[in-house]
Amino acid sequence: MVEAVRKPRGRPVKSSSEPDGATRDRLIDATGELMANRGSVDVTFADIAKATELNPALISYYFGNKAGLMMALLRRVLGESLTNLEDLAREDVPPEEKLRVHIHGLISTYFRYPYINPLIHQLVIDEPQTFGPMIAEEFSRRAAGIQKHILDEGVAAGRFRDVDPLNFYFHIVGACDQFFHGRYQMRHIFGIANIDERRELDYADYLADSLVRGLAT
Amino acid sequence: MVEAVRKPRGRPVKSSSEPDGATRDRLIDATGELMANRGSVDVTFADIAKATELNPALISYYFGNKAGLMMALLRRVLGESLTNLEDLAREDVPPEEKLRVHIHGLISTYFRYPYINPLIHQLVIDEPQTFGPMIAEEFSRRAAGIQKHILDEGVAAGRFRDVDPLNFYFHIVGACDQFFHGRYQMRHIFGIANIDERRELDYADYLADSLVRGLAT
């Protein structure tokens, strides 16, 4: 198992049976799994090499450095979720329903990939000038765009009152984030050690309901 | 100016004209001002001693260590705001109005003391086992208690529908927090470099409105 990891020099060693894309995907998947299992974003190249039985030099080859790998992981998990929500925003569905699916989508993404926020935090702490703007442009802008589209449709249909998309953005993102952040509050005020799927769904239902009522004309 | 700071040994040197409480208050005030002016919670005993012209040993004398001083500062700014909100919750005012004042109170506290969240974050990162539970018990529990009181009153008066106070807590706290956290989003998506008082009030109005509508029967 450790053999491939120990190959010391020369061209990166990878499995000869899989194309480049598949190797790259395996490295990203393994990184996400390690972070999810450990409950921490503190994962080294050596950890990933061991888990994938691939040479650590491959990680540098594909991603440059650890920040590059982290961004690739964010692009995978957040990018996929945002693409689904963008597709939905274009469909012929009432704006209330789109908003409900948007909220459920954001919350279930945070639930499935609990490392998203710590990962973003780590990147922005390490290199604020690079990753602050990059993450805002690549991910936040898309989420804000989807929300503005839904708001505009709802206003045009006479079903939503007109609210500032900026206020709406911070309201939604804050309410979705906080549920997975405040673990000491969850435990010490409400006596809940872990968020299970039932509670996650209950919160998404509550929040979607409150936001739709808050917008209704 | 630096003279008092340089006194090296013996009993802490403090101004002989002020009682203990006043010296303690001056140290807390100066710490908050330094953090606000620098936009950072990275403030040393030497910085505070210099700003107050007091001996750094006084800080140890009153607060034990830096974490003790930080907790004292949180107790000052958050404790005062929570006491006001608790007083309000007991008054004879419609529940919608109490909720609006609660939201405005939370947001204006974050606005006036922008170091609150970074300070909490720092304490919890440094000593999670101590400060995670302590902050949840001392501050979050009180905020959640005020919210539950307002919700119960609104339901009893037939003006609010029945929602889970846990969901309501994370919704409010997340939405209030995020507005002051997402500065890259604020700048790169919405083109706003700084949150001024007009924008802060606009957000508090929007959020209170959305929450009250979200609860209305």
Side-chain angles (χ1 to χ4, degrees), chain B residues 202-216:
Chain B
D202 186 60
Y203 185 65
D205 281 339
Y206 155 79
L207 188 63
D209 213 32
S210 176
L211 283 160
V212 166
R213 285 165 180 260
L215 284 172

Side-chain angles (χ1 to χ4, degrees), chain A residues 15-31:
Chain A
S15 161
S16 60
S17 64
E18 59 185 16
D20 274 23
T23 306
R24 195 175 177 282
D25 284 353
R26 269 175 65 197
L27 289 165
I28 296 174
D29 288 342
T31 307

Side-chain angles (χ1 to χ4, degrees), chain A residues 101-215:
Chain A
V101 179
H102 178 69
I103 302 297
H104 273 269
L106 285 181
I107 290 179
S108 84
T109 301
Y110 286 133
F111 182 68
R112 281 169 62 201
Y113 309 111
Y115 48 80
I116 289 177
N117 270 319
L119 204 53
I120 289 175
H121 188 77
Q122 191 63 53
L123 285 167
V124 173
I125 290 282
D126 288 349
E127 292 182 54
Q129 302 307 323
T130 306
F131 291 109
M134 189 186 286
I135 287 164
E137 295 289 343
E138 276 196 42
F139 306 121
S140 315
R141 183 185 290 285
R142 286 174 71 187
I146 296 166
Q147 290 164 11
K148 184 165 186 324
H149 181 91
I150 299 173
L151 280 179
D152 287 346
E153 261 189 7
V155 171
R159 306 191 59 85
F160 289 167
R161 65 199 176 92
D162 202 5
V163 301
D164 186 335
L166 179 154
N167 291 339
F168 196 63
Y169 172 84
F170 288 104
H171 179 180
I172 292 186
V173 172
C176 292
D177 261 28
Q178 190 70 27
F179 195 64
F180 299 99
H181 258 71
R183 67 186 151 148
Y184 293 106
Q185 284 72 18
M186 199 61 94
R187 182 176 304 225
H188 291 278
I189 307 173
F190 300 105
I192 290 161
N194 286 301
I195 301 169
D196 59 15
E197 198 175 352
R198 189 195 59 73
R199 192 162 289 284
E200 174 240 319
L201 283 174
D202 186 59
Y203 185 65
D205 280 339
Y206 155 79
L207 187 62
D209 212 33
S210 176
L211 283 160
V212 166
R213 285 164 179 261
L215 284 173

